[in-house]
Amino acid sequence: QNVAKTLEEEKRAPPTVQEIKQRIEKYNAKVTNCLLMKLNDDGTYTGFIKVHLKLRRPVTVPAGIRPQSIYDALKEVNLADMTDKRTSFYLPLDAIKQLHISSTTTVSEVIQGLLKKFMVVDNPQKFALFKEMRKDGQVLLQKLPLTEYPLYLRLLAGPDTDVLSFVLKENETGEVEWDAFSIPELQNFLMILDKEEKDKILQVQRKYEKFKQRLQQTLKEAGGKPG
């Protein structure tokens, strides 16, 4: 809570270009890798943030799309627009994506950029970016407004991700708003849940079948021996 209070207080007074320059120099002095921040002539600056993906529900992506090539990236080709077919799958839990952004990049743009990199076609409003802060063994997770600037928060906190890190999660508003999903998405969710249910049933059956076999073997070996 103290970390959050300090960051909020520092945000209230917009820093001057000279203050930004001093902060960047202090930040870069603590960097242990090559992910430095750079101040531009117009007073803006660029740098890197890492976002942890902690999505519990499947995402929707185009079906049968080839990986993006360098040509596609340079021409800003959106492969997701090249097919109407959709499929759903789970992104690896706790995967980390590194982004190079500007001080003018908002939370909304970070979310959209992440979805584009993974070719996720879900509505960006289904996701939210959180800041995670740690102090004295306590963890504080706070949802960031869409107009916030993540790189400025990174600059204030320093490069240590144990002090501040970013997390992409579902935009929870209590109950799941199923109306926000399309019919194909809902059908895909049902298919995934059905498969998970069958797999879980099969695991339980196999577990008790092995237990039954061991018990029968024990009884057979015991034979007519006294208990």
Side-chain angles (χ1 to χ4, degrees):
Q1 292 178 345
N2 291 335
V3 174
K5 183 178 180 180
T6 301
L7 293 179
E8 293 297 332
E9 288 176 349
E10 292 182 357
K11 282 172 53 185
R12 289 177 191 147
T16 64
V17 175
Q18 184 60 32
E19 289 173 336
I20 287 292
K21 182 179 179 181
Q22 293 175 352
R23 285 187 179 276
I24 290 178
E25 291 175 350
K26 183 178 179 181
Y27 180 96
N28 288 341
K30 297 179 180 180
V31 172
T32 56
N33 47 37
C34 299
L35 306 181
L36 302 174
M37 287 198 187
K38 180 181 178 182
L39 181 64
N40 302 319
D41 294 335
D42 61 358
T44 62
Y45 50 97
T46 58
F48 296 84
I49 63 169
K50 292 181 179 180
V51 181
H52 296 248
L53 306 180
K54 296 184 179 182
L55 302 178
R56 299 290 179 178
R57 295 195 288 269
V59 295
T60 306
V61 298
I65 288 293
R66 58 179 171 81
Q68 188 177 45
S69 66
I70 295 178
Y71 173 81
D72 295 331
L74 293 175
K75 297 296 183 179
E76 295 187 352
V77 176
N78 189 354
L79 296 177
D81 293 337
M82 299 174 64
T83 178
D84 293 330
K85 296 180 180 179
R86 298 287 184 264
T87 187
S88 295
F89 80 106
Y90 286 93
L91 285 173
L93 190 61
D94 254 357
I96 300 177
K97 189 64 179 179
Q98 185 171 280
L99 297 176
H100 184 252
I101 64 174
S102 164
S103 56
T104 61
T105 304
T106 64
V107 165
S108 176
E109 292 169 331
V110 167
I111 294 174
Q112 293 178 41
L114 285 169
L115 299 183
K116 183 177 180 181
K117 283 183 178 295
F118 287 98
M119 293 191 292
V120 175
V121 296
D122 290 297
N123 190 330
Q125 294 180 359
K126 297 177 184 177
F127 307 92
L129 191 68
F130 293 77
K131 63 178 180 181
E132 184 177 279
M133 294 166 289
R134 301 171 184 271
K135 186 177 182 181
D136 300 330
Q138 296 183 339
V139 177
L140 174 65
L141 195 65
Q142 181 180 351
K143 180 180 175 180
L144 295 173
L146 295 177
T147 55
E148 181 63 270
Y149 301 108
L151 192 61
Y152 182 54
L153 297 179
R154 180 79 279 160
L155 179 62
L156 291 181
D160 190 352
T161 54
D162 287 336
V163 175
L164 172 73
S165 59
F166 296 103
V167 179
L168 182 71
K169 301 180 67 177
E170 284 85 3
N171 189 12
E172 301 288 1
T173 56
E175 294 295 327
V176 178
E177 297 180 2
W178 296 110
D179 292 341
F181 295 89
S182 66
I183 296 299
E185 288 175 329
L186 294 173
Q187 291 174 337
N188 280 325
F189 293 162
L190 287 175
M191 291 174 60
I192 292 173
L193 290 173
D194 185 59
K195 182 179 183 302
E196 290 181 347
E197 181 183 28
K198 290 179 180 178
D199 290 343
K200 181 63 66 174
I201 292 174
L202 187 59
Q203 290 176 12
V204 173
Q205 289 176 335
R206 288 175 177 172
K207 173 184 176 181
Y208 283 96
E209 182 62 29
K210 290 181 180 179
F211 179 77
K212 178 181 178 181
Q213 291 175 357
R214 289 199 297 268
L215 183 59
Q216 290 176 336
Q217 182 64 29
T218 301
L219 289 172
K220 182 178 180 180
E221 292 175 353
K225 298 178 183 179

